[in-house]
Amino acid sequence: DVVLTQTPVSLSVTLGDQASISCRSSQSLEYSDGYTYLEWYLQKPGQSPQLLIYEVSNRFSGVPDRFIGSGSGTDFTLKISRVEPEDLGVYYCFQATHDPWTFGGGTKLELK
Amino acid sequence: EVQLVESGGGLVQPGRSLKLSCVASGFTFSNYGMNWIRQAPGKGLEWVAYISSGSSYIYYAETVKGRFTISRDNAKNTLYLQMTSLRSEDTALYYCARGDGYYDYWGQGVMVTVSS
């Protein structure tokens, strides 16, 4: 199975700071069709997860442009510029390239 | 408005069975693949199973393969998860989520507790 390793596990920030989360895959996530099925989700406290980014860098509808996804192959990054209070929670990367599909372990973004 | 409402959870003894349902509304259910994703208490997310729009493609996580069965009834706009031979490690909040490659809508989840 593909293992997604997220770092850091926890990230303390000041509002207005930039935050960066890494997701490394044990295998390349480029599918045979040329697409890379790597996504990012945010789970706010007490809520269901919500989609932020799909196919590495595409923001889902309504997601602010301060969320930027990048990467290729096995290394991916989610950057959040100017962290706001509603950005706090646990971030998960997820791959749907290789069966079985898998989530990363999560990164908790909290206030310093 | 897209809505996904799960039901059928509860407390069940190890080795027993349980069937979850997810009723969809606000979109054409038969056009979308659907998934079950779970979260053990205090833990991360685990993808469980996927079924394509017409039920032609079905995939499972290794941890549930052979014990869980995902199915759907497009006429009833309902997704199911039949869970058998339940184990304590299956204790989790089970979400249904819409999508074939990414999950744009999620339900609120239904709790399944496996304990004697």
Side-chain angles (χ1 to χ4, degrees):
Chain A
D1 296 4
V2 171
V3 176
L4 298 180
T5 302
Q6 287 185 235
T7 55
V9 171
S10 179
L11 186 55
S12 296
V13 299
T14 300
L15 294 178
D17 280 355
Q18 175 176 279
S20 182
I21 301 170
S22 169
C23 177
R24 288 193 168 172
S25 173
S26 59
Q27 298 179 38
S28 172
L29 297 184
E30 184 174 348
Y31 192 56
S32 54
D33 61 5
Y35 288 90
T36 299
Y37 297 101
L38 186 284
E39 298 140 28
W40 291 95
Y41 295 86
L42 165 61
Q43 187 173 32
K44 298 181 183 180
Q47 295 186 19
S48 303
Q50 60 187 82
L51 175 66
L52 296 175
I53 302 285
Y54 63 96
E55 292 169 12
V56 180
S57 59
N58 296 295
R59 274 186 296 274
F60 182 58
S61 174
V63 175
D65 60 7
R66 64 178 181 274
F67 290 90
I68 300 170
S70 63
S72 64
T74 60
D75 288 345
F76 303 91
T77 301
L78 176 68
K79 282 186 167 55
I80 312 161
S81 60
R82 307 180 309 278
V83 170
E84 299 193 5
E86 60 265 31
D87 301 338
L88 303 180
V90 182
Y91 289 79
Y92 295 93
C93 57
F94 174 77
Q95 69 84 22
T97 296
H98 300 287
D99 175 33
W101 303 336
T102 49
F103 283 93
T107 295
K108 186 174 185 178
L109 183 67
E110 52 194 1
L111 285 179
K112 195 173 290 183
Chain B
E1 179 194 5
V2 172
Q3 282 198 313
L4 299 169
V5 180
E6 302 96 336
S7 63
L11 174 63
V12 61
Q13 292 179 327
R16 303 299 291 264
S17 300
L18 202 61
K19 187 171 186 177
L20 305 182
S21 300
C22 170
V23 176
S25 60
F27 66 102
T28 304
F29 182 70
S30 58
N31 285 352
Y32 290 86
M34 296 294 295
N35 303 261
W36 289 99
I37 294 153
R38 69 185 181 183
Q39 187 168 35
K43 302 295 186 182
L45 300 171
E46 180 188 14
W47 171 79
V48 173
Y50 162 83
I51 185 168
S52 62
S53 57
S55 305
S56 297
Y57 300 96
I58 290 176
Y59 306 121
Y60 296 99
E62 290 296 324
T63 51
V64 306
K65 199 174 286 187
R67 300 187 300 122
F68 290 12
T69 302
I70 189 171
S71 63
R72 63 191 296 160
D73 185 335
N74 286 344
K76 294 183 178 179
N77 290 345
T78 303
L79 173 72
Y80 302 102
L81 186 67
Q82 176 69 56
M83 304 183 291
T84 64
S85 303
L86 282 162
R87 307 167 180 166
S88 58
E89 54 264 38
D90 296 317
T91 293
L93 186 63
Y94 285 74
Y95 295 102
C96 69
R98 185 182 87 166
D100 292 278
Y102 56 82
Y103 310 137
D104 54 1
Y105 289 95
W106 297 61
Q108 287 304 301
V110 60
M111 189 67 200
V112 172
T113 303
V114 183
S115 174
S116 54

